[in-house]
Amino acid sequence: MADNLASPIKTFYKGKNVFITGATGFVGVTILEKLLRDIPEIGTVYLLMRPKKGKTVAQRLEDIRKNSVFDKFKELKIDEKRFDKIVPIEGDVGQEHLGISEAERQVLIDNVHVVFHSAATLDFFQSLKETTNINLLGTRRVVELCKQLSKLEALVHVSSAYVNSYITEVEEKLYPAPDDPEKVIHLAETLSDEALKELEPKLLKDHPNTYTFTKHLAEHEVANVASRFPCGIVRPSMITAAWKQPIPGWTISKNGPQGFFMGASRGILRRLPLDPTIIMDYIPVDVVVNAIITTGYYVNALQVKNAGKPADLQIFHLTSSTYKPFRFEFLINKINAYLHEYPLVSAVWYPNLKLVKSLFIFRLGAILFHFIPGFFLDLVTKLSGGRPILIRLHKSVWNSLNTLEKFIFTEWHYDSKHTLALSKQMDPRDREIFFIDIGDLAWDDYFLNTIVGVRQYLSKESPKTLSAARKKDKILLALHVALQLAFYYGIWKLFIFVFGLSNAKAALVLPVVYFLMSLL
C-alpha cells in the first residue's frame, strides 16, 4: 500500500477549515466521515444544521456521531477526539442569509477555507416555490457567504447529472440557463403554488421536473463567481451504496436500487417497471465524496498554477454510463438469488422480484401482486394493532409513475473524460485514498454488497439473524408454492364450474393461464 502520509490532497487539507451544507444527508455525512477518517489533520469542520423534530442542532450532531457511517471508526479504533473538530452552525439554506446568526457568520468569515455545498431538496414532485427557494436561492445564499469569506480557497457545488436531462448526450460543460433566474425567483416569491403550477409547463420547457430545472439554474449561480475564487461543480448521477468505503454496501439512502431492494427483500415489492436492456447510470457514494474532496484541492491548485488567478469553472461528471455501463440484464438472473442468500427475518412473503418493460403491464401486475396482497397484509396489521402502510405505499408508487417514466425508460450518456483525466493526473497516493476511477468496479459483487448493506443499514437486521432469516425464507418458499398451487387449482375448478368442462379439458387451460400470468 502506498504511503499516504504526504499525499498532495491530504497536505492541502491539513489545518484547513471546511464548511458543509447538507451535512445530515447521504452525501454530506459521508463527506464528514471521509474527512475525519482519512485527513486526521483537517482543521475545524463546520456543519450547517437546523433544529428538526424537536431536536436542537447539538442533539442532531449527537445523532450524526451515532450514524452507521462511523461504524468503521469503531473497527479501526479511531480516536473519538476527531469528533471534537465538528462545530454545528445553526441555519438553513432556505432562509435569508442561511439563517445564520451574526456571531456565527463572523466565525465562518474569519476561518473557513473550503466550502462543500451539498444541500438540496431532491423531491421530484415538490413545488417550484420550494425548489426555487432551496436549490436556486439556497445556492445563491451560499455563494453570497463565500464572497465574504476572508480565507476562501475553494467552493465545490454538488449538482446533478440530470440537470441536463432534456438531452441524452451530455458533456462536462455549463449549458445555457433554461430561463432568467431573476424572473423565476420573482414568480416563485409572488405567485401562489396553484398559479405556479399552471405556469410550470411553460417555465420548465423540456425539463422533466422542478428539481432538474432549479438545479440547472443553481449551476449558473456558481458560474457567476468562478472568476472571483476557485469553483468546481460535481454532477453525480443516481448515488448508490458505498463501493469500498467506509464499508462495502453501506447506505442510508432509500433512493434508487437501495429502495427497491429493501422492498423486494421483504416480499412487498414484486414487480418493478424497468427495462433491463437500458443503461442505468449508478455511481457509488464513496466515489462521489472522493470527487468532491478532490475537486476542492484541484480548483485551488489550478489557481496557484495560474499565478493566483482562478481558472475556468471546473465541471466533473460522476457517472458510469459511458465508462462502466450497467444494465439490469447483467443481474436479471442473480437478483433473487442474492435476496435469498441474504434474506430478512422481517420478510412478510417470499421475495421474487421481476422487471417489467411496460408501464401498462406493470400496472396490471401491480393490482394482482401489490394491491391485493397489500390489502390483506394491511388488514392483518390493523387487526394486530399496527399501522397499515402497504396500500398507501403502493398508491404513492402508482401515482408517481407518469412523472418518473422519463427517468425509468430513458438512457442517458454522460461524458466523463474530464473526471477520468483528473484521476490520471492525481498523485498515486491520492489515487488510492481518494479514488474516483470506477474502472475496476465489478457490478455483480457491488450489488451483492449493496443487498447486504440494505439488509443491515436500512432494514436494521444484524448479521447474527441471518441463520434464522434463511430458515424463515424456506418456510416462506413452501407457503409461496402452496399458494400458487391453490391458485391454479382454483382456476381449474372455476373453468369446470363456469364452462362445464371435463377435468382433462379444464386442465388444458392451465398452461395458457400460466403463460398469461408470466407476462405480468
Side-chain angles (χ1 to χ4, degrees), residues 150-204:
S150 61
K151 298 179 180 179
L152 183 66
E153 296 184 21
L155 163 63
V156 182
H157 171 66
V158 183
S159 185
S160 168
Y162 299 107
V163 297
N164 300 302
S165 55
Y166 53 91
I167 52 178
T168 55
E169 303 286 336
V170 190
E171 298 178 29
E172 293 166 295
K173 68 179 185 180
L174 186 69
Y175 286 82
D179 212 318
D180 176 14
E182 302 306 328
K183 182 184 84 173
V184 174
I185 291 169
H186 175 73
L187 291 173
E189 289 180 339
T190 57
L191 296 183
S192 64
D193 278 337
E194 293 75 18
L196 274 175
K197 195 69 179 175
E198 288 185 19
L199 273 179
E200 264 186 32
K202 291 181 180 179
L203 288 172
L204 302 189

Short mmCIF file of all heavy atoms in Angstrom, two decimals, residues 150-204:
data_model
loop_
_atom_site.label_atom_id
_atom_site.label_comp_id
_atom_site.label_asym_id
_atom_site.label_seq_id
_atom_site.Cartn_x
_atom_site.Cartn_y
_atom_site.Cartn_z
N SER A 150 -12.95 35.46 4.19
CA SER A 150 -11.64 36.10 4.01
C SER A 150 -10.54 35.12 3.62
O SER A 150 -9.51 35.53 3.08
CB SER A 150 -11.26 36.83 5.29
OG SER A 150 -11.14 35.92 6.38
N LYS A 151 -10.75 33.83 3.88
CA LYS A 151 -9.70 32.85 3.61
C LYS A 151 -10.12 31.79 2.58
O LYS A 151 -9.46 30.77 2.44
CB LYS A 151 -9.30 32.14 4.91
CG LYS A 151 -8.73 33.07 5.97
CD LYS A 151 -8.38 32.31 7.24
CE LYS A 151 -7.79 33.24 8.29
NZ LYS A 151 -7.47 32.52 9.56
N LEU A 152 -11.18 32.05 1.83
CA LEU A 152 -11.72 31.04 0.94
C LEU A 152 -10.71 30.61 -0.13
O LEU A 152 -10.13 31.43 -0.82
CB LEU A 152 -12.99 31.56 0.24
CG LEU A 152 -13.70 30.54 -0.67
CD1 LEU A 152 -14.25 29.38 0.15
CD2 LEU A 152 -14.83 31.22 -1.46
N GLU A 153 -10.56 29.29 -0.26
CA GLU A 153 -9.65 28.74 -1.26
C GLU A 153 -10.36 27.85 -2.27
O GLU A 153 -9.78 27.52 -3.31
CB GLU A 153 -8.54 27.94 -0.56
CG GLU A 153 -7.66 28.81 0.33
CD GLU A 153 -6.49 28.03 0.94
OE1 GLU A 153 -6.14 26.97 0.39
OE2 GLU A 153 -5.95 28.50 1.95
N ALA A 154 -11.60 27.47 -1.99
CA ALA A 154 -12.33 26.63 -2.95
C ALA A 154 -13.81 26.53 -2.56
O ALA A 154 -14.14 26.40 -1.38
CB ALA A 154 -11.72 25.24 -3.03
N LEU A 155 -14.66 26.57 -3.57
CA LEU A 155 -16.09 26.28 -3.42
C LEU A 155 -16.41 25.10 -4.34
O LEU A 155 -16.12 25.15 -5.54
CB LEU A 155 -16.95 27.48 -3.82
CG LEU A 155 -18.45 27.18 -4.09
CD1 LEU A 155 -19.14 26.68 -2.83
CD2 LEU A 155 -19.16 28.43 -4.64
N VAL A 156 -16.99 24.04 -3.76
CA VAL A 156 -17.42 22.89 -4.55
C VAL A 156 -18.92 22.76 -4.41
O VAL A 156 -19.45 22.60 -3.31
CB VAL A 156 -16.72 21.59 -4.10
CG1 VAL A 156 -17.16 20.43 -4.99
CG2 VAL A 156 -15.20 21.74 -4.13
N HIS A 157 -19.61 22.84 -5.54
CA HIS A 157 -21.07 22.76 -5.59
C HIS A 157 -21.47 21.37 -6.08
O HIS A 157 -21.02 20.92 -7.13
CB HIS A 157 -21.62 23.83 -6.53
CG HIS A 157 -23.09 23.71 -6.81
ND1 HIS A 157 -24.05 23.88 -5.85
CD2 HIS A 157 -23.76 23.42 -7.96
CE1 HIS A 157 -25.25 23.72 -6.39
NE2 HIS A 157 -25.09 23.45 -7.67
N VAL A 158 -22.31 20.69 -5.29
CA VAL A 158 -22.80 19.36 -5.69
C VAL A 158 -24.08 19.54 -6.49
O VAL A 158 -25.13 19.89 -5.95
CB VAL A 158 -23.05 18.47 -4.46
CG1 VAL A 158 -23.50 17.08 -4.91
CG2 VAL A 158 -21.79 18.37 -3.60
N SER A 159 -23.98 19.30 -7.77
CA SER A 159 -25.13 19.43 -8.67
C SER A 159 -25.66 18.03 -8.98
O SER A 159 -25.64 17.15 -8.11
CB SER A 159 -24.70 20.18 -9.94
OG SER A 159 -25.80 20.41 -10.78
N SER A 160 -26.12 17.82 -10.18
CA SER A 160 -26.63 16.50 -10.59
C SER A 160 -26.44 16.34 -12.09
O SER A 160 -26.57 17.30 -12.85
CB SER A 160 -28.13 16.40 -10.25
OG SER A 160 -28.70 15.27 -10.89
N ALA A 161 -26.14 15.13 -12.50
CA ALA A 161 -26.02 14.86 -13.94
C ALA A 161 -27.34 15.15 -14.64
O ALA A 161 -27.37 15.49 -15.83
CB ALA A 161 -25.61 13.41 -14.17
N TYR A 162 -28.44 15.05 -13.89
CA TYR A 162 -29.76 15.19 -14.51
C TYR A 162 -30.20 16.64 -14.71
O TYR A 162 -31.31 16.88 -15.18
CB TYR A 162 -30.79 14.42 -13.67
CG TYR A 162 -30.46 12.95 -13.62
CD1 TYR A 162 -29.97 12.37 -12.46
CD2 TYR A 162 -30.60 12.14 -14.75
CE1 TYR A 162 -29.63 11.03 -12.42
CE2 TYR A 162 -30.27 10.80 -14.71
CZ TYR A 162 -29.79 10.25 -13.55
OH TYR A 162 -29.45 8.92 -13.52
N VAL A 163 -29.32 17.60 -14.35
CA VAL A 163 -29.70 18.99 -14.62
C VAL A 163 -29.81 19.22 -16.12
O VAL A 163 -30.45 20.18 -16.57
CB VAL A 163 -28.70 20.00 -14.02
CG1 VAL A 163 -28.66 19.89 -12.52
CG2 VAL A 163 -27.32 19.85 -14.63
N ASN A 164 -29.20 18.35 -16.91
CA ASN A 164 -29.29 18.46 -18.37
C ASN A 164 -30.07 17.29 -18.96
O ASN A 164 -29.76 16.81 -20.06
CB ASN A 164 -27.88 18.52 -18.96
CG ASN A 164 -27.08 19.70 -18.44
OD1 ASN A 164 -27.50 20.84 -18.60
ND2 ASN A 164 -25.96 19.44 -17.78
N SER A 165 -31.07 16.83 -18.23
CA SER A 165 -31.81 15.64 -18.64
C SER A 165 -32.69 15.84 -19.86
O SER A 165 -33.30 14.90 -20.36
CB SER A 165 -32.66 15.11 -17.48
OG SER A 165 -33.51 16.13 -16.99
N TYR A 166 -32.76 17.07 -20.37
CA TYR A 166 -33.54 17.33 -21.58
C TYR A 166 -32.75 16.93 -22.83
O TYR A 166 -33.27 16.97 -23.95
CB TYR A 166 -33.93 18.81 -21.66
CG TYR A 166 -32.77 19.77 -21.52
CD1 TYR A 166 -32.08 20.22 -22.63
CD2 TYR A 166 -32.36 20.21 -20.26
CE1 TYR A 166 -31.00 21.08 -22.50
CE2 TYR A 166 -31.29 21.07 -20.12
CZ TYR A 166 -30.61 21.50 -21.24
OH TYR A 166 -29.53 22.34 -21.11
N ILE A 167 -31.47 16.55 -22.64
CA ILE A 167 -30.68 15.99 -23.74
C ILE A 167 -30.11 14.66 -23.26
O ILE A 167 -29.93 14.44 -22.06
CB ILE A 167 -29.53 16.93 -24.20
CG1 ILE A 167 -28.68 17.36 -23.01
CG2 ILE A 167 -30.08 18.13 -24.93
CD1 ILE A 167 -27.50 18.25 -23.37
N THR A 168 -29.80 13.76 -24.18
CA THR A 168 -29.35 12.42 -23.78
C THR A 168 -27.84 12.21 -23.95
O THR A 168 -27.31 11.24 -23.43
CB THR A 168 -30.10 11.34 -24.58
OG1 THR A 168 -29.94 11.59 -25.98
CG2 THR A 168 -31.58 11.34 -24.22
N GLU A 169 -27.18 13.10 -24.66
CA GLU A 169 -25.72 13.04 -24.79
C GLU A 169 -25.17 14.30 -24.11
O GLU A 169 -25.29 15.40 -24.65
CB GLU A 169 -25.29 13.00 -26.27
CG GLU A 169 -25.90 11.85 -27.07
CD GLU A 169 -25.27 10.52 -26.72
OE1 GLU A 169 -24.11 10.51 -26.24
OE2 GLU A 169 -25.93 9.47 -26.94
N VAL A 170 -24.59 14.15 -22.93
CA VAL A 170 -24.26 15.30 -22.10
C VAL A 170 -22.75 15.38 -21.86
O VAL A 170 -22.11 14.39 -21.52
CB VAL A 170 -24.99 15.22 -20.74
CG1 VAL A 170 -24.83 16.54 -19.98
CG2 VAL A 170 -26.46 14.89 -20.93
N GLU A 171 -22.21 16.58 -22.01
CA GLU A 171 -20.78 16.81 -21.80
C GLU A 171 -20.55 17.51 -20.46
O GLU A 171 -21.48 18.06 -19.86
CB GLU A 171 -20.22 17.67 -22.94
CG GLU A 171 -20.32 17.02 -24.31
CD GLU A 171 -19.79 17.94 -25.40
OE1 GLU A 171 -18.89 18.77 -25.12
OE2 GLU A 171 -20.29 17.84 -26.54
N GLU A 172 -19.29 17.52 -20.03
CA GLU A 172 -18.92 18.17 -18.78
C GLU A 172 -18.68 19.66 -19.03
O GLU A 172 -17.56 20.15 -18.98
CB GLU A 172 -17.66 17.50 -18.20
CG GLU A 172 -17.91 16.07 -17.76
CD GLU A 172 -16.63 15.31 -17.51
OE1 GLU A 172 -15.88 15.08 -18.48
OE2 GLU A 172 -16.38 14.91 -16.35
N LYS A 173 -19.76 20.34 -19.31
CA LYS A 173 -19.68 21.78 -19.56
C LYS A 173 -20.95 22.44 -19.04
O LYS A 173 -21.95 21.75 -18.75
CB LYS A 173 -19.52 22.06 -21.05
CG LYS A 173 -20.73 21.70 -21.90
CD LYS A 173 -20.49 22.03 -23.38
CE LYS A 173 -21.75 21.78 -24.21
NZ LYS A 173 -21.54 22.09 -25.64
N LEU A 174 -20.91 23.76 -18.94
CA LEU A 174 -22.08 24.51 -18.49
C LEU A 174 -22.98 24.78 -19.68
O LEU A 174 -22.56 25.40 -20.66
CB LEU A 174 -21.64 25.83 -17.85
CG LEU A 174 -22.75 26.66 -17.20
CD1 LEU A 174 -23.26 25.96 -15.95
CD2 LEU A 174 -22.23 28.06 -16.85
N TYR A 175 -24.21 24.33 -19.61
CA TYR A 175 -25.17 24.56 -20.68
C TYR A 175 -25.96 25.84 -20.41
O TYR A 175 -26.08 26.27 -19.26
CB TYR A 175 -26.12 23.37 -20.81
CG TYR A 175 -25.47 22.15 -21.43
CD1 TYR A 175 -24.69 21.28 -20.67
CD2 TYR A 175 -25.60 21.88 -22.79
CE1 TYR A 175 -24.07 20.17 -21.24
CE2 TYR A 175 -25.00 20.77 -23.37
CZ TYR A 175 -24.23 19.92 -22.58
OH TYR A 175 -23.62 18.83 -23.15
N PRO A 176 -26.47 26.49 -21.46
CA PRO A 176 -27.22 27.74 -21.27
C PRO A 176 -28.35 27.59 -20.26
O PRO A 176 -29.01 26.55 -20.21
CB PRO A 176 -27.77 28.04 -22.68
CG PRO A 176 -26.82 27.34 -23.61
CD PRO A 176 -26.40 26.10 -22.89
N ALA A 177 -28.55 28.63 -19.47
CA ALA A 177 -29.61 28.60 -18.46
C ALA A 177 -30.96 28.42 -19.13
O ALA A 177 -31.24 29.02 -20.17
CB ALA A 177 -29.59 29.89 -17.65
N PRO A 178 -31.85 27.61 -18.54
CA PRO A 178 -33.16 27.36 -19.15
C PRO A 178 -34.10 28.55 -19.06
O PRO A 178 -35.10 28.60 -19.76
CB PRO A 178 -33.70 26.17 -18.36
CG PRO A 178 -33.00 26.26 -17.04
CD PRO A 178 -31.64 26.80 -17.34
N ASP A 179 -33.78 29.52 -18.20
CA ASP A 179 -34.62 30.72 -18.06
C ASP A 179 -33.84 31.75 -17.25
O ASP A 179 -32.77 31.47 -16.72
CB ASP A 179 -35.94 30.37 -17.37
CG ASP A 179 -37.09 31.26 -17.85
OD1 ASP A 179 -36.85 32.49 -18.01
OD2 ASP A 179 -38.19 30.75 -18.08
N ASP A 180 -34.41 32.94 -17.16
CA ASP A 180 -33.81 34.01 -16.37
C ASP A 180 -34.07 33.73 -14.89
O ASP A 180 -35.22 33.69 -14.45
CB ASP A 180 -34.43 35.35 -16.77
CG ASP A 180 -33.93 36.50 -15.92
OD1 ASP A 180 -32.92 36.31 -15.21
OD2 ASP A 180 -34.55 37.57 -15.95
N PRO A 181 -33.02 33.50 -14.10
CA PRO A 181 -33.23 33.17 -12.69
C PRO A 181 -33.98 34.26 -11.92
O PRO A 181 -34.76 33.95 -11.01
CB PRO A 181 -31.81 32.98 -12.14
CG PRO A 181 -30.91 33.65 -13.13
CD PRO A 181 -31.59 33.53 -14.45
N GLU A 182 -33.76 35.52 -12.28
CA GLU A 182 -34.45 36.60 -11.57
C GLU A 182 -35.96 36.52 -11.81
O GLU A 182 -36.75 36.76 -10.90
CB GLU A 182 -33.92 37.96 -12.03
CG GLU A 182 -32.43 38.16 -11.84
CD GLU A 182 -31.98 37.90 -10.41
OE1 GLU A 182 -32.77 38.15 -9.48
OE2 GLU A 182 -30.83 37.44 -10.23
N LYS A 183 -36.33 36.16 -13.03
CA LYS A 183 -37.76 36.01 -13.34
C LYS A 183 -38.36 34.85 -12.55
O LYS A 183 -39.44 34.95 -11.96
CB LYS A 183 -37.95 35.77 -14.83
CG LYS A 183 -39.41 35.65 -15.25
CD LYS A 183 -39.56 35.30 -16.72
CE LYS A 183 -39.44 33.82 -16.95
NZ LYS A 183 -39.75 33.41 -18.34
N VAL A 184 -37.63 33.73 -12.52
CA VAL A 184 -38.11 32.54 -11.81
C VAL A 184 -38.24 32.83 -10.32
O VAL A 184 -39.26 32.47 -9.70
CB VAL A 184 -37.15 31.35 -12.04
CG1 VAL A 184 -37.57 30.16 -11.19
CG2 VAL A 184 -37.11 30.97 -13.52
N ILE A 185 -37.25 33.51 -9.75
CA ILE A 185 -37.31 33.86 -8.33
C ILE A 185 -38.49 34.78 -8.04
O ILE A 185 -39.23 34.60 -7.06
CB ILE A 185 -35.98 34.52 -7.88
CG1 ILE A 185 -34.85 33.48 -7.91
CG2 ILE A 185 -36.12 35.13 -6.50
CD1 ILE A 185 -33.47 34.07 -7.75
N HIS A 186 -38.70 35.77 -8.91
CA HIS A 186 -39.81 36.72 -8.73
C HIS A 186 -41.15 35.98 -8.77
O HIS A 186 -42.02 36.21 -7.91
CB HIS A 186 -39.77 37.79 -9.80
CG HIS A 186 -40.95 38.72 -9.77
ND1 HIS A 186 -41.10 39.69 -8.79
CD2 HIS A 186 -42.06 38.83 -10.58
CE1 HIS A 186 -42.23 40.34 -8.99
NE2 HIS A 186 -42.82 39.84 -10.06
N LEU A 187 -41.30 35.08 -9.72
CA LEU A 187 -42.55 34.33 -9.83
C LEU A 187 -42.76 33.44 -8.61
O LEU A 187 -43.87 33.34 -8.07
CB LEU A 187 -42.54 33.48 -11.10
CG LEU A 187 -42.61 34.24 -12.43
CD1 LEU A 187 -42.41 33.29 -13.60
CD2 LEU A 187 -43.94 34.98 -12.57
N ALA A 188 -41.69 32.79 -8.17
CA ALA A 188 -41.79 31.89 -7.02
C ALA A 188 -42.13 32.64 -5.74
O ALA A 188 -42.82 32.11 -4.86
CB ALA A 188 -40.49 31.12 -6.85
N GLU A 189 -41.68 33.87 -5.64
CA GLU A 189 -41.91 34.65 -4.42
C GLU A 189 -43.25 35.37 -4.43
O GLU A 189 -43.76 35.73 -3.36
CB GLU A 189 -40.78 35.67 -4.25
CG GLU A 189 -39.45 35.04 -3.87
CD GLU A 189 -38.33 36.06 -3.70
OE1 GLU A 189 -38.46 37.19 -4.24
OE2 GLU A 189 -37.33 35.73 -3.03
N THR A 190 -43.83 35.59 -5.60
CA THR A 190 -45.05 36.40 -5.67
C THR A 190 -46.31 35.61 -6.00
O THR A 190 -47.41 36.00 -5.61
CB THR A 190 -44.89 37.53 -6.71
OG1 THR A 190 -44.57 36.95 -8.00
CG2 THR A 190 -43.79 38.49 -6.30
N LEU A 191 -46.16 34.50 -6.71
CA LEU A 191 -47.34 33.72 -7.11
C LEU A 191 -47.64 32.61 -6.12
O LEU A 191 -46.77 32.14 -5.39
CB LEU A 191 -47.13 33.10 -8.49
CG LEU A 191 -46.95 34.07 -9.68
CD1 LEU A 191 -46.82 33.28 -10.98
CD2 LEU A 191 -48.12 35.05 -9.77
N SER A 192 -48.89 32.20 -6.10
CA SER A 192 -49.29 31.07 -5.26
C SER A 192 -48.82 29.77 -5.91
O SER A 192 -48.46 29.73 -7.09
CB SER A 192 -50.82 31.03 -5.12
OG SER A 192 -51.41 30.79 -6.40
N ASP A 193 -48.84 28.70 -5.13
CA ASP A 193 -48.45 27.39 -5.67
C ASP A 193 -49.35 27.00 -6.84
O ASP A 193 -48.90 26.41 -7.82
CB ASP A 193 -48.53 26.31 -4.58
CG ASP A 193 -47.29 26.31 -3.70
OD1 ASP A 193 -46.23 26.78 -4.16
OD2 ASP A 193 -47.38 25.82 -2.56
N GLU A 194 -50.65 27.35 -6.71
CA GLU A 194 -51.61 26.99 -7.77
C GLU A 194 -51.28 27.72 -9.07
O GLU A 194 -51.28 27.14 -10.15
CB GLU A 194 -53.04 27.33 -7.32
CG GLU A 194 -53.56 26.49 -6.16
CD GLU A 194 -52.97 26.90 -4.82
OE1 GLU A 194 -52.43 28.01 -4.72
OE2 GLU A 194 -53.03 26.07 -3.88
N ALA A 195 -50.98 29.02 -8.94
CA ALA A 195 -50.64 29.80 -10.13
C ALA A 195 -49.32 29.32 -10.75
O ALA A 195 -49.18 29.24 -11.97
CB ALA A 195 -50.54 31.28 -9.78
N LEU A 196 -48.37 28.99 -9.89
CA LEU A 196 -47.09 28.48 -10.39
C LEU A 196 -47.26 27.14 -11.10
O LEU A 196 -46.61 26.86 -12.10
CB LEU A 196 -46.10 28.30 -9.22
CG LEU A 196 -45.29 29.53 -8.81
CD1 LEU A 196 -44.48 29.21 -7.57
CD2 LEU A 196 -44.38 29.99 -9.94
N LYS A 197 -48.17 26.32 -10.56
CA LYS A 197 -48.42 25.01 -11.16
C LYS A 197 -48.93 25.16 -12.59
O LYS A 197 -48.55 24.39 -13.48
CB LYS A 197 -49.43 24.23 -10.32
CG LYS A 197 -49.48 22.74 -10.64
CD LYS A 197 -48.21 22.05 -10.21
CE LYS A 197 -48.27 20.56 -10.50
NZ LYS A 197 -46.98 19.90 -10.20
N GLU A 198 -49.75 26.16 -12.80
CA GLU A 198 -50.27 26.41 -14.15
C GLU A 198 -49.17 26.88 -15.09
O GLU A 198 -49.17 26.56 -16.28
CB GLU A 198 -51.40 27.45 -14.09
CG GLU A 198 -52.69 26.94 -13.48
CD GLU A 198 -53.81 27.97 -13.56
OE1 GLU A 198 -53.68 28.92 -14.38
OE2 GLU A 198 -54.78 27.85 -12.80
N LEU A 199 -48.22 27.63 -14.55
CA LEU A 199 -47.13 28.17 -15.36
C LEU A 199 -46.01 27.16 -15.62
O LEU A 199 -45.20 27.35 -16.53
CB LEU A 199 -46.52 29.40 -14.68
CG LEU A 199 -47.16 30.76 -14.95
CD1 LEU A 199 -46.42 31.83 -14.16
CD2 LEU A 199 -47.12 31.10 -16.44
N GLU A 200 -45.95 26.13 -14.79
CA GLU A 200 -44.82 25.20 -14.84
C GLU A 200 -44.46 24.68 -16.23
O GLU A 200 -43.29 24.71 -16.62
CB GLU A 200 -45.05 24.02 -13.88
CG GLU A 200 -44.39 24.22 -12.54
CD GLU A 200 -44.51 22.99 -11.66
OE1 GLU A 200 -44.54 21.86 -12.18
OE2 GLU A 200 -44.57 23.16 -10.43
N PRO A 201 -45.42 24.19 -17.01
CA PRO A 201 -45.05 23.66 -18.33
C PRO A 201 -44.32 24.68 -19.20
O PRO A 201 -43.36 24.32 -19.90
CB PRO A 201 -46.40 23.28 -18.95
CG PRO A 201 -47.29 23.02 -17.77
CD PRO A 201 -46.85 24.01 -16.74
N LYS A 202 -44.73 25.94 -19.13
CA LYS A 202 -44.07 26.98 -19.94
C LYS A 202 -42.68 27.30 -19.39
O LYS A 202 -41.76 27.57 -20.16
CB LYS A 202 -44.92 28.26 -19.96
CG LYS A 202 -46.23 28.11 -20.73
CD LYS A 202 -47.00 29.42 -20.73
CE LYS A 202 -48.31 29.27 -21.51
NZ LYS A 202 -49.10 30.54 -21.50
N LEU A 203 -42.55 27.29 -18.07
CA LEU A 203 -41.26 27.60 -17.46
C LEU A 203 -40.26 26.46 -17.62
O LEU A 203 -39.10 26.67 -17.99
CB LEU A 203 -41.44 27.92 -15.97
CG LEU A 203 -42.11 29.24 -15.61
CD1 LEU A 203 -42.39 29.29 -14.11
CD2 LEU A 203 -41.21 30.42 -16.01
N LEU A 204 -40.70 25.24 -17.34
CA LEU A 204 -39.79 24.09 -17.37
C LEU A 204 -39.36 23.72 -18.78
O LEU A 204 -38.28 23.19 -18.98
CB LEU A 204 -40.44 22.88 -16.69
CG LEU A 204 -40.87 23.04 -15.23
CD1 LEU A 204 -41.29 21.70 -14.65
CD2 LEU A 204 -39.78 23.64 -14.38
#
